[in-house]
Structures are given as structure tokens and as C-alpha cells.
mmCIF file of all heavy atoms in Angstrom:
data_model
loop_
_atom_site.group_PDB
_atom_site.id
_atom_site.type_symbol
_atom_site.label_atom_id
_atom_site.label_comp_id
_atom_site.label_asym_id
_atom_site.label_seq_id
_atom_site.Cartn_x
_atom_site.Cartn_y
_atom_site.Cartn_z
ATOM 1 N N ALA A 1 46.519 71.308 -6.302
ATOM 2 C CA ALA A 1 47.009 70.038 -6.831
ATOM 3 C C ALA A 1 45.938 68.955 -6.760
ATOM 4 O O ALA A 1 45.705 68.226 -7.728
ATOM 5 C CB ALA A 1 48.247 69.594 -6.048
ATOM 6 N N SER A 2 45.257 68.887 -5.620
ATOM 7 C CA SER A 2 44.264 67.838 -5.417
ATOM 8 C C SER A 2 43.068 67.996 -6.363
ATOM 9 O O SER A 2 42.632 67.053 -7.002
ATOM 10 C CB SER A 2 43.789 67.859 -3.968
ATOM 11 O OG SER A 2 42.791 66.901 -3.742
ATOM 12 N N GLU A 3 42.547 69.242 -6.443
ATOM 13 C CA GLU A 3 41.361 69.466 -7.258
ATOM 14 C C GLU A 3 41.659 69.548 -8.755
ATOM 15 O O GLU A 3 40.736 69.517 -9.572
ATOM 16 C CB GLU A 3 40.655 70.749 -6.801
ATOM 17 C CG GLU A 3 40.174 70.706 -5.359
ATOM 18 C CD GLU A 3 39.155 69.591 -5.132
ATOM 19 O OE1 GLU A 3 38.385 69.268 -6.062
ATOM 20 O OE2 GLU A 3 39.133 69.035 -4.023
ATOM 21 N N MET A 4 42.921 69.644 -9.106
ATOM 22 C CA MET A 4 43.292 69.509 -10.515
ATOM 23 C C MET A 4 43.034 68.078 -11.002
ATOM 24 O O MET A 4 42.690 67.842 -12.161
ATOM 25 C CB MET A 4 44.766 69.863 -10.707
ATOM 26 C CG MET A 4 45.254 69.801 -12.158
ATOM 27 S SD MET A 4 46.934 70.428 -12.353
ATOM 28 C CE MET A 4 47.878 69.153 -11.510
ATOM 29 N N LEU A 5 43.147 67.139 -10.059
ATOM 30 C CA LEU A 5 42.964 65.732 -10.402
ATOM 31 C C LEU A 5 41.562 65.213 -10.065
ATOM 32 O O LEU A 5 41.060 64.318 -10.740
ATOM 33 C CB LEU A 5 43.998 64.880 -9.623
ATOM 34 C CG LEU A 5 45.450 65.299 -9.731
ATOM 35 C CD1 LEU A 5 46.336 64.310 -8.993
ATOM 36 C CD2 LEU A 5 45.888 65.428 -11.185
ATOM 37 N N TYR A 6 40.948 65.776 -9.014
ATOM 38 C CA TYR A 6 39.680 65.251 -8.508
ATOM 39 C C TYR A 6 38.596 65.131 -9.567
ATOM 40 O O TYR A 6 37.949 64.080 -9.695
ATOM 41 C CB TYR A 6 39.221 66.127 -7.342
ATOM 42 C CG TYR A 6 38.094 65.559 -6.516
ATOM 43 C CD1 TYR A 6 38.353 64.637 -5.511
ATOM 44 C CD2 TYR A 6 36.766 65.928 -6.741
ATOM 45 C CE1 TYR A 6 37.341 64.104 -4.743
ATOM 46 C CE2 TYR A 6 35.748 65.411 -5.981
ATOM 47 C CZ TYR A 6 36.029 64.496 -4.980
ATOM 48 O OH TYR A 6 35.009 63.970 -4.246
ATOM 49 N N PRO A 7 38.340 66.182 -10.382
ATOM 50 C CA PRO A 7 37.275 66.051 -11.380
ATOM 51 C C PRO A 7 37.610 65.063 -12.506
ATOM 52 O O PRO A 7 36.708 64.656 -13.252
ATOM 53 C CB PRO A 7 37.155 67.485 -11.958
ATOM 54 C CG PRO A 7 37.823 68.359 -10.976
ATOM 55 C CD PRO A 7 38.908 67.544 -10.373
ATOM 56 N N LEU A 8 38.893 64.689 -12.600
ATOM 57 C CA LEU A 8 39.301 63.782 -13.677
ATOM 58 C C LEU A 8 39.186 62.318 -13.269
ATOM 59 O O LEU A 8 39.259 61.436 -14.121
ATOM 60 C CB LEU A 8 40.754 64.064 -14.087
ATOM 61 C CG LEU A 8 41.057 65.499 -14.515
ATOM 62 C CD1 LEU A 8 42.538 65.634 -14.868
ATOM 63 C CD2 LEU A 8 40.200 65.925 -15.694
ATOM 64 N N MET A 9 39.013 62.056 -11.975
ATOM 65 C CA MET A 9 39.020 60.671 -11.492
ATOM 66 C C MET A 9 37.881 59.832 -12.081
ATOM 67 O O MET A 9 38.113 58.711 -12.531
ATOM 68 C CB MET A 9 38.961 60.648 -9.973
ATOM 69 C CG MET A 9 40.176 61.299 -9.320
ATOM 70 S SD MET A 9 41.701 60.365 -9.562
ATOM 71 C CE MET A 9 41.441 59.041 -8.414
ATOM 72 N N PRO A 10 36.624 60.316 -12.087
ATOM 73 C CA PRO A 10 35.574 59.504 -12.727
ATOM 74 C C PRO A 10 35.859 59.237 -14.187
ATOM 75 O O PRO A 10 35.619 58.130 -14.690
ATOM 76 C CB PRO A 10 34.309 60.365 -12.538
ATOM 77 C CG PRO A 10 34.602 61.256 -11.395
ATOM 78 C CD PRO A 10 36.072 61.550 -11.499
ATOM 79 N N LEU A 11 36.373 60.253 -14.893
ATOM 80 C CA LEU A 11 36.721 60.075 -16.308
ATOM 81 C C LEU A 11 37.839 59.064 -16.477
ATOM 82 O O LEU A 11 37.805 58.215 -17.366
ATOM 83 C CB LEU A 11 37.127 61.434 -16.897
ATOM 84 C CG LEU A 11 37.538 61.459 -18.374
ATOM 85 C CD1 LEU A 11 36.367 61.055 -19.258
ATOM 86 C CD2 LEU A 11 38.029 62.854 -18.752
ATOM 87 N N TYR A 12 38.845 59.131 -15.597
ATOM 88 C CA TYR A 12 39.978 58.203 -15.659
ATOM 89 C C TYR A 12 39.517 56.773 -15.369
ATOM 90 O O TYR A 12 39.939 55.822 -16.023
ATOM 91 C CB TYR A 12 41.036 58.646 -14.648
ATOM 92 C CG TYR A 12 42.358 57.974 -14.815
ATOM 93 C CD1 TYR A 12 43.168 58.230 -15.925
ATOM 94 C CD2 TYR A 12 42.865 57.101 -13.852
ATOM 95 C CE1 TYR A 12 44.414 57.628 -16.080
ATOM 96 C CE2 TYR A 12 44.111 56.507 -13.991
ATOM 97 C CZ TYR A 12 44.871 56.771 -15.097
ATOM 98 O OH TYR A 12 46.103 56.176 -15.234
ATOM 99 N N LEU A 13 38.648 56.629 -14.371
ATOM 100 C CA LEU A 13 38.123 55.297 -14.052
ATOM 101 C C LEU A 13 37.339 54.715 -15.222
ATOM 102 O O LEU A 13 37.466 53.526 -15.549
ATOM 103 C CB LEU A 13 37.214 55.371 -12.823
ATOM 104 C CG LEU A 13 37.886 55.227 -11.462
ATOM 105 C CD1 LEU A 13 36.901 55.564 -10.357
ATOM 106 C CD2 LEU A 13 38.434 53.830 -11.267
ATOM 107 N N ALA A 14 36.513 55.540 -15.846
ATOM 108 C CA ALA A 14 35.620 55.048 -16.910
ATOM 109 C C ALA A 14 36.356 54.789 -18.212
ATOM 110 O O ALA A 14 36.108 53.768 -18.884
ATOM 111 C CB ALA A 14 34.498 56.049 -17.136
ATOM 112 N N THR A 15 37.289 55.662 -18.605
ATOM 113 C CA THR A 15 37.902 55.567 -19.934
ATOM 114 C C THR A 15 39.223 54.810 -19.955
ATOM 115 O O THR A 15 39.584 54.218 -20.960
ATOM 116 C CB THR A 15 38.128 56.972 -20.524
ATOM 117 O OG1 THR A 15 39.020 57.698 -19.667
ATOM 118 C CG2 THR A 15 36.813 57.717 -20.634
ATOM 119 N N VAL A 16 39.943 54.830 -18.822
ATOM 120 C CA VAL A 16 41.246 54.163 -18.789
ATOM 121 C C VAL A 16 41.191 52.857 -18.001
ATOM 122 O O VAL A 16 41.687 51.826 -18.462
ATOM 123 C CB VAL A 16 42.328 55.103 -18.182
ATOM 124 C CG1 VAL A 16 43.672 54.393 -18.105
ATOM 125 C CG2 VAL A 16 42.444 56.373 -19.015
ATOM 126 N N LEU A 17 40.557 52.888 -16.820
ATOM 127 C CA LEU A 17 40.521 51.701 -15.962
ATOM 128 C C LEU A 17 39.261 50.879 -16.144
ATOM 129 O O LEU A 17 39.136 49.808 -15.553
ATOM 130 C CB LEU A 17 40.669 52.119 -14.499
ATOM 131 C CG LEU A 17 41.908 52.964 -14.177
ATOM 132 C CD1 LEU A 17 41.979 53.237 -12.677
ATOM 133 C CD2 LEU A 17 43.177 52.273 -14.649
ATOM 134 N N MET A 18 38.311 51.360 -16.940
ATOM 135 C CA MET A 18 37.083 50.628 -17.300
ATOM 136 C C MET A 18 36.304 50.178 -16.059
ATOM 137 O O MET A 18 35.928 49.020 -15.932
ATOM 138 C CB MET A 18 37.427 49.422 -18.171
ATOM 139 C CG MET A 18 38.156 49.771 -19.444
ATOM 140 S SD MET A 18 37.208 50.929 -20.481
ATOM 141 C CE MET A 18 38.370 51.258 -21.786
ATOM 142 N N SER A 19 36.057 51.115 -15.143
ATOM 143 C CA SER A 19 35.314 50.804 -13.925
ATOM 144 C C SER A 19 34.149 51.780 -13.777
ATOM 145 O O SER A 19 34.170 52.856 -14.375
ATOM 146 C CB SER A 19 36.221 50.893 -12.699
ATOM 147 O OG SER A 19 37.301 49.996 -12.809
ATOM 148 N N GLY A 20 33.141 51.400 -12.959
ATOM 149 C CA GLY A 20 31.918 52.172 -12.860
ATOM 150 C C GLY A 20 31.659 52.757 -11.483
ATOM 151 O O GLY A 20 32.551 52.823 -10.631
ATOM 152 N N PRO A 21 30.420 53.160 -11.225
ATOM 153 C CA PRO A 21 30.062 53.837 -9.975
ATOM 154 C C PRO A 21 30.310 53.028 -8.706
ATOM 155 O O PRO A 21 30.682 53.574 -7.674
ATOM 156 C CB PRO A 21 28.555 54.114 -10.138
ATOM 157 C CG PRO A 21 28.340 54.141 -11.615
ATOM 158 C CD PRO A 21 29.287 53.135 -12.178
ATOM 159 N N ARG A 22 30.122 51.710 -8.771
ATOM 160 C CA ARG A 22 30.329 50.882 -7.569
ATOM 161 C C ARG A 22 31.796 50.887 -7.146
ATOM 162 O O ARG A 22 32.124 50.998 -5.954
ATOM 163 C CB ARG A 22 29.843 49.467 -7.824
ATOM 164 C CG ARG A 22 28.331 49.355 -7.929
ATOM 165 C CD ARG A 22 27.878 47.946 -8.199
ATOM 166 N NE ARG A 22 26.413 47.878 -8.319
ATOM 167 C CZ ARG A 22 25.740 46.790 -8.671
ATOM 168 N NH1 ARG A 22 26.387 45.670 -8.954
ATOM 169 N NH2 ARG A 22 24.431 46.820 -8.764
ATOM 170 N N VAL A 23 32.698 50.779 -8.107
ATOM 171 C CA VAL A 23 34.126 50.837 -7.806
ATOM 172 C C VAL A 23 34.492 52.228 -7.287
ATOM 173 O O VAL A 23 35.273 52.375 -6.342
ATOM 174 C CB VAL A 23 34.966 50.477 -9.050
ATOM 175 C CG1 VAL A 23 36.437 50.787 -8.817
ATOM 176 C CG2 VAL A 23 34.781 49.019 -9.403
ATOM 177 N N LEU A 24 33.921 53.251 -7.898
ATOM 178 C CA LEU A 24 34.164 54.624 -7.454
ATOM 179 C C LEU A 24 33.757 54.802 -5.996
ATOM 180 O O LEU A 24 34.493 55.370 -5.194
ATOM 181 C CB LEU A 24 33.400 55.601 -8.350
ATOM 182 C CG LEU A 24 33.486 57.084 -7.976
ATOM 183 C CD1 LEU A 24 34.908 57.591 -8.043
ATOM 184 C CD2 LEU A 24 32.579 57.921 -8.887
ATOM 185 N N GLY A 25 32.578 54.294 -5.647
ATOM 186 C CA GLY A 25 32.100 54.398 -4.267
ATOM 187 C C GLY A 25 33.002 53.630 -3.299
ATOM 188 O O GLY A 25 33.281 54.105 -2.202
ATOM 189 N N LEU A 26 33.489 52.450 -3.721
ATOM 190 C CA LEU A 26 34.375 51.651 -2.865
ATOM 191 C C LEU A 26 35.699 52.373 -2.626
ATOM 192 O O LEU A 26 36.172 52.470 -1.483
ATOM 193 C CB LEU A 26 34.620 50.307 -3.512
ATOM 194 C CG LEU A 26 35.537 49.338 -2.742
ATOM 195 C CD1 LEU A 26 34.909 48.939 -1.433
ATOM 196 C CD2 LEU A 26 35.860 48.108 -3.595
ATOM 197 N N ILE A 27 36.290 52.903 -3.684
ATOM 198 C CA ILE A 27 37.598 53.578 -3.556
ATOM 199 C C ILE A 27 37.483 54.790 -2.659
ATOM 200 O O ILE A 27 38.270 54.971 -1.716
ATOM 201 C CB ILE A 27 38.127 53.983 -4.950
ATOM 202 C CG1 ILE A 27 38.542 52.745 -5.749
ATOM 203 C CG2 ILE A 27 39.312 54.960 -4.817
ATOM 204 C CD1 ILE A 27 38.960 53.053 -7.179
ATOM 205 N N GLU A 28 36.514 55.658 -2.931
ATOM 206 C CA GLU A 28 36.383 56.870 -2.155
ATOM 207 C C GLU A 28 35.981 56.590 -0.704
ATOM 208 O O GLU A 28 36.434 57.254 0.218
ATOM 209 C CB GLU A 28 35.372 57.807 -2.817
ATOM 210 C CG GLU A 28 35.897 58.421 -4.089
ATOM 211 C CD GLU A 28 37.184 59.184 -3.877
ATOM 212 O OE1 GLU A 28 37.169 60.187 -3.143
ATOM 213 O OE2 GLU A 28 38.199 58.765 -4.427
ATOM 214 N N GLY A 29 35.131 55.597 -0.517
ATOM 215 C CA GLY A 29 34.707 55.261 0.841
ATOM 216 C C GLY A 29 35.839 54.746 1.701
ATOM 217 O O GLY A 29 36.033 55.184 2.838
ATOM 218 N N ILE A 30 36.631 53.816 1.169
ATOM 219 C CA ILE A 30 37.772 53.267 1.919
ATOM 220 C C ILE A 30 38.801 54.351 2.181
ATOM 221 O O ILE A 30 39.355 54.457 3.285
ATOM 222 C CB ILE A 30 38.400 52.089 1.141
ATOM 223 C CG1 ILE A 30 37.446 50.886 1.150
ATOM 224 C CG2 ILE A 30 39.756 51.705 1.748
ATOM 225 C CD1 ILE A 30 37.944 49.703 0.373
ATOM 226 N N ALA A 31 39.091 55.169 1.169
ATOM 227 C CA ALA A 31 40.097 56.225 1.331
ATOM 228 C C ALA A 31 39.704 57.211 2.427
ATOM 229 O O ALA A 31 40.515 57.543 3.306
ATOM 230 C CB ALA A 31 40.297 56.943 0.000
ATOM 231 N N GLU A 32 38.463 57.669 2.406
ATOM 232 C CA GLU A 32 38.034 58.661 3.390
ATOM 233 C C GLU A 32 37.865 58.055 4.776
ATOM 234 O O GLU A 32 38.134 58.717 5.786
ATOM 235 C CB GLU A 32 36.727 59.316 2.928
ATOM 236 C CG GLU A 32 36.868 60.144 1.663
ATOM 237 C CD GLU A 32 37.833 61.296 1.813
ATOM 238 O OE1 GLU A 32 38.046 61.759 2.957
ATOM 239 O OE2 GLU A 32 38.376 61.746 0.792
ATOM 240 N N ALA A 33 37.437 56.796 4.856
ATOM 241 C CA ALA A 33 37.316 56.149 6.166
ATOM 242 C C ALA A 33 38.677 55.989 6.826
ATOM 243 O O ALA A 33 38.823 56.159 8.035
ATOM 244 C CB ALA A 33 36.632 54.781 5.995
ATOM 245 N N THR A 34 39.695 55.666 6.028
ATOM 246 C CA THR A 34 41.054 55.558 6.551
ATOM 247 C C THR A 34 41.533 56.881 7.126
ATOM 248 O O THR A 34 42.102 56.947 8.217
ATOM 249 C CB THR A 34 42.007 55.103 5.432
ATOM 250 O OG1 THR A 34 41.577 53.839 4.927
ATOM 251 C CG2 THR A 34 43.443 54.996 5.951
ATOM 252 N N ALA A 35 41.306 57.948 6.377
ATOM 253 C CA ALA A 35 41.713 59.273 6.845
ATOM 254 C C ALA A 35 41.015 59.610 8.166
ATOM 255 O O ALA A 35 41.627 60.179 9.080
ATOM 256 C CB ALA A 35 41.393 60.322 5.788
ATOM 257 N N SER A 36 39.762 59.239 8.283
ATOM 258 C CA SER A 36 38.991 59.599 9.465
ATOM 259 C C SER A 36 39.525 58.913 10.724
ATOM 260 O O SER A 36 39.610 59.536 11.792
ATOM 261 C CB SER A 36 37.520 59.201 9.260
ATOM 262 O OG SER A 36 36.995 59.882 8.158
ATOM 263 N N LEU A 37 39.903 57.658 10.619
ATOM 264 C CA LEU A 37 40.452 56.947 11.772
ATOM 265 C C LEU A 37 41.753 57.587 12.254
ATOM 266 O O LEU A 37 41.986 57.744 13.449
ATOM 267 C CB LEU A 37 40.682 55.471 11.421
ATOM 268 C CG LEU A 37 39.414 54.643 11.209
ATOM 269 C CD1 LEU A 37 39.783 53.259 10.672
ATOM 270 C CD2 LEU A 37 38.643 54.497 12.514
ATOM 271 N N LEU A 38 42.595 57.970 11.317
ATOM 272 C CA LEU A 38 43.864 58.599 11.684
ATOM 273 C C LEU A 38 43.660 60.009 12.225
ATOM 274 O O LEU A 38 44.493 60.497 12.992
ATOM 275 C CB LEU A 38 44.796 58.626 10.468
ATOM 276 C CG LEU A 38 45.433 57.269 10.120
ATOM 277 C CD1 LEU A 38 46.206 57.369 8.821
ATOM 278 C CD2 LEU A 38 46.341 56.809 11.249
ATOM 279 N N LYS A 39 42.587 60.684 11.837
ATOM 280 C CA LYS A 39 42.311 62.011 12.379
ATOM 281 C C LYS A 39 42.044 61.948 13.868
ATOM 282 O O LYS A 39 42.423 62.857 14.627
ATOM 283 C CB LYS A 39 41.118 62.637 11.656
ATOM 284 C CG LYS A 39 41.413 63.082 10.232
ATOM 285 C CD LYS A 39 40.150 63.491 9.503
ATOM 286 C CE LYS A 39 40.413 63.793 8.041
ATOM 287 N NZ LYS A 39 39.170 64.086 7.284
ATOM 288 N N LEU A 40 41.399 60.882 14.340
ATOM 289 C CA LEU A 40 41.194 60.722 15.781
ATOM 290 C C LEU A 40 42.530 60.479 16.485
ATOM 291 O O LEU A 40 42.824 61.106 17.505
ATOM 292 C CB LEU A 40 40.226 59.562 16.046
ATOM 293 C CG LEU A 40 40.007 59.211 17.517
ATOM 294 C CD1 LEU A 40 39.494 60.408 18.308
ATOM 295 C CD2 LEU A 40 39.064 58.028 17.655
ATOM 296 N N PHE A 41 43.350 59.598 15.930
ATOM 297 C CA PHE A 41 44.649 59.294 16.516
ATOM 298 C C PHE A 41 45.514 60.549 16.618
ATOM 299 O O PHE A 41 46.064 60.854 17.673
ATOM 300 C CB PHE A 41 45.353 58.224 15.669
ATOM 301 C CG PHE A 41 46.793 58.023 16.030
ATOM 302 C CD1 PHE A 41 47.144 57.254 17.125
ATOM 303 C CD2 PHE A 41 47.792 58.606 15.274
ATOM 304 C CE1 PHE A 41 48.481 57.081 17.470
ATOM 305 C CE2 PHE A 41 49.123 58.439 15.599
ATOM 306 C CZ PHE A 41 49.478 57.661 16.697
ATOM 307 N N SER A 42 45.618 61.297 15.519
ATOM 308 C CA SER A 42 46.480 62.492 15.520
ATOM 309 C C SER A 42 45.924 63.558 16.450
ATOM 310 O O SER A 42 46.686 64.305 17.070
ATOM 311 C CB SER A 42 46.645 63.022 14.104
ATOM 312 O OG SER A 42 45.404 63.437 13.550
ATOM 313 N N GLY A 43 44.588 63.660 16.569
ATOM 314 C CA GLY A 43 44.008 64.641 17.478
ATOM 315 C C GLY A 43 44.320 64.333 18.935
ATOM 316 O O GLY A 43 44.645 65.245 19.706
ATOM 317 N N VAL A 44 44.263 63.068 19.312
ATOM 318 C CA VAL A 44 44.590 62.674 20.685
ATOM 319 C C VAL A 44 46.054 62.935 20.971
ATOM 320 O O VAL A 44 46.439 63.423 22.054
ATOM 321 C CB VAL A 44 44.234 61.203 20.914
ATOM 322 C CG1 VAL A 44 44.692 60.743 22.297
ATOM 323 C CG2 VAL A 44 42.735 60.973 20.786
ATOM 324 N N ILE A 45 46.928 62.637 20.016
ATOM 325 C CA ILE A 45 48.363 62.862 20.175
ATOM 326 C C ILE A 45 48.664 64.353 20.390
ATOM 327 O O ILE A 45 49.520 64.731 21.200
ATOM 328 C CB ILE A 45 49.139 62.324 18.962
ATOM 329 C CG1 ILE A 45 49.132 60.786 18.972
ATOM 330 C CG2 ILE A 45 50.562 62.829 18.971
ATOM 331 C CD1 ILE A 45 49.862 60.169 20.132
ATOM 332 N N VAL A 46 47.964 65.214 19.665
ATOM 333 C CA VAL A 46 48.163 66.651 19.813
ATOM 334 C C VAL A 46 47.811 67.108 21.229
ATOM 335 O O VAL A 46 48.528 67.893 21.852
ATOM 336 C CB VAL A 46 47.336 67.434 18.770
ATOM 337 C CG1 VAL A 46 47.273 68.903 19.124
ATOM 338 C CG2 VAL A 46 47.956 67.275 17.401
ATOM 339 N N ASP A 47 46.708 66.593 21.783
ATOM 340 C CA ASP A 47 46.337 66.954 23.140
ATOM 341 C C ASP A 47 47.381 66.476 24.149
ATOM 342 O O ASP A 47 47.620 67.119 25.180
ATOM 343 C CB ASP A 47 44.976 66.348 23.500
ATOM 344 C CG ASP A 47 43.812 67.100 22.859
ATOM 345 O OD1 ASP A 47 44.045 68.250 22.427
ATOM 346 O OD2 ASP A 47 42.716 66.558 22.785
#
């Protein structure tokens, strides 16, 4: 499901949302940084 959409995201940003590489970097960076912080929290809870 995820990779069905992943390769389409740059195309969707460029052709539908009219955004470029800087916006792409901001979106992906914030999204992945958020996941990383919660990975530490969930790991401690598991222990």
C-alpha cells in the first residue's frame, strides 16, 4: 500500500500541488523525524 503511493508523491506534488524539491524535503523530513521520536517512546514502553 505504501509503495504504491510513494513513487507518485513527487509527481503529485509537482503536477497537482505545484510544489518543488524544498517542500518535498520539508514534508519528508518532518514526517520521518516525528516517527523517530515516537519510536524511542514506544521502545521504552515495551521494556
Side-chain angles (χ1 to χ4, degrees):
S2 177
E3 298 299 328
M4 182 173 69
L5 308 184
Y6 193 83
L8 304 179
M9 297 292 284
L11 179 63
Y12 193 68
L13 272 170
T15 61
V16 178
L17 305 184
M18 302 302 175
S19 300
R22 290 179 181 174
V23 170
L24 177 62
L26 180 65
I27 290 175
E28 289 303 296
I30 290 178
E32 295 299 335
T34 300
S36 300
L37 291 172
L38 285 173
K39 288 171 186 176
L40 175 58
F41 169 80
S42 61
V44 174
I45 288 295
V46 166
D47 284 343

